[in-house]
């Protein structure tokens, strides 16, 4: 499933926004499983064929609505420091905005539909990774992140935590989690104090002070990571 539409009349922007808003309202009220193209059309005040002319499934409608909301709500800030950028970005990301049922519904659909999975990954998941990567790249250019820190692993840590909590619902999301994660990431990337070398000694033995791209875990997974 993709949102590529066949020939026909061009989209009316007012109708498009009405459809996207209707889809999100229905999701908030009834959940993804109960969402239907007919229900979206009725709530938007358009014919069902209008919705099908522009999207092939409810998943495609929701995906487009989600992408637009994410671009408006979770932007890549530029506060001039890694701490400021991470705090702003991660608190907004983990604020959730009532989207748990939307995100888990789309992930479930992606597991069942390989074509939709590709669209979900390429258009939404990778774009969110790119926004965080931009923050880390700027920090590296400013010298706030050592050159050997594996930025892709840091991105995996952020979104791994987000999706694990979304799917299991065993622990809360919210701004405090974003702030805690900001602190953890800042400690993970901090360079060792001058003269101490790359490792520090603790009562249990030497420990690495940061996430190096030369670590076995990082090296084994780098080759399969997306570059988008």
């Amino acid at each position: 499933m993709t949102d590529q539409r066949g020939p026909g009349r061009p989209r009316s922007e007012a109708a498009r926004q009405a459809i996207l808003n209707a889809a999100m309202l229905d999701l908030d009220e009834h959940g993804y499983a109960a969402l239907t193209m007919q229900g979206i059309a009725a709530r938007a005040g358009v014919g069902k064929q209008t919705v099908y002319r522009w999207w092939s499934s409810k998943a495609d409608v929701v995906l487009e609505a989600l992408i637009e909301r994410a671009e408006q709500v979770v932007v890549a800030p530029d506060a001039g420091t890694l701490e400021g950028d991470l705090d702003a970005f991660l608190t907004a990301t983990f604020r959730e905005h009532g989207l748990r049922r939307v995100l888990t519904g789309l992930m479930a659909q992606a597991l069942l539909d390989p074509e939709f999975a590709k669209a979900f990954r390429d258009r939404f998941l990778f774009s969110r990774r790119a926004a965080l990567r931009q923050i880390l790249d700027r920090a590296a250019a400013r010298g706030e992140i050592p050159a050997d820190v594996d930025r892709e692993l840091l991105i995996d840590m952020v979104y791994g935590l987000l999706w694990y909590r979304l799917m299991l619902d065993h622990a809360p999301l919210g701004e405090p989690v974003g702030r805690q994660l900001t602190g953890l990431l800042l400690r993970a990337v901090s360079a060792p104090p001058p003269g101490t070398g790359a490792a520090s000694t603790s009562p249990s033995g030497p420990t690495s002070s940061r996430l190096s791209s030369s670590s076995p875990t990082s090296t084994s997974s780098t080759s399969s990571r997306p570059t988008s």
Side-chain angles (χ1 to χ4, degrees):
M1 285 176 289
T2 68
D3 69 341
Q4 294 179 348
R5 45 195 164 86
R9 289 177 297 174
R11 287 182 178 184
S12 158
E13 181 59 22
R16 188 183 78 88
Q17 285 296 332
I19 292 167
L20 297 181
N21 291 338
M24 297 304 288
L25 288 171
D26 269 10
L27 275 168
D28 290 341
E29 292 178 8
H30 307 298
Y32 184 82
L35 188 69
T36 66
M37 295 289 265
Q38 183 172 352
I40 294 171
R43 186 158 199 162
V46 301
K48 186 168 65 172
Q49 289 308 310
T50 298
V51 182
Y52 275 111
R53 187 183 303 123
W54 297 334
W55 297 277
S56 61
S57 72
K58 67 177 185 179
D60 293 316
V61 181
V62 174
L63 177 58
E64 185 162 338
L66 181 63
I67 290 168
E68 289 202 359
R69 181 178 291 194
E71 290 173 348
Q72 295 167 2
V73 174
V74 188
V75 298
D78 190 0
T81 66
L82 177 60
E83 181 176 5
D85 287 349
L86 282 179
D87 183 71
F89 184 81
L90 295 181
T91 53
T93 296
F94 280 81
R95 195 174 292 135
E96 186 191 358
H97 306 287
L99 293 180
R100 180 188 295 272
R101 290 198 293 181
V102 178
L103 292 168
T104 54
L106 291 180
M107 181 59 77
Q109 182 67 35
L111 294 173
L112 299 172
D113 184 338
E115 186 177 354
F116 175 75
K118 185 178 186 304
F120 185 47
R121 182 182 66 240
D122 294 349
R123 297 182 59 205
F124 179 71
L125 298 179
F126 282 178
S127 70
R128 295 294 85 207
R129 291 179 66 89
L132 180 53
R133 188 181 298 112
Q134 181 182 7
I135 291 172
L136 298 176
D137 288 347
R138 283 201 307 257
R142 292 191 297 259
E144 293 181 274
I145 296 180
D148 64 344
V149 165
D150 188 340
R151 295 172 219 166
E152 292 301 310
L153 183 57
L154 292 175
I155 295 171
D156 286 344
M157 290 168 61
V158 170
Y159 289 109
L161 172 60
L162 175 67
W163 280 99
Y164 194 79
R165 291 198 173 189
L166 278 171
M167 301 301 287
L168 269 65
D169 198 14
H170 69 295
L173 295 169
E175 292 185 13
V177 178
R179 293 195 177 93
Q180 286 180 318
L181 188 55
T182 295
L184 289 172
L185 292 178
L186 290 172
R187 289 194 292 274
V189 302
S190 62
T196 62
S200 60
T201 301
S202 69
S204 58
T207 59
S208 174
S209 60
R210 65 173 183 252
L211 298 171
S212 170
S213 59
S214 61
S215 66
T217 300
S218 169
T219 302
S220 64
S221 57
T222 300
S223 61
S224 62
R225 289 193 188 113
T227 57
S228 60

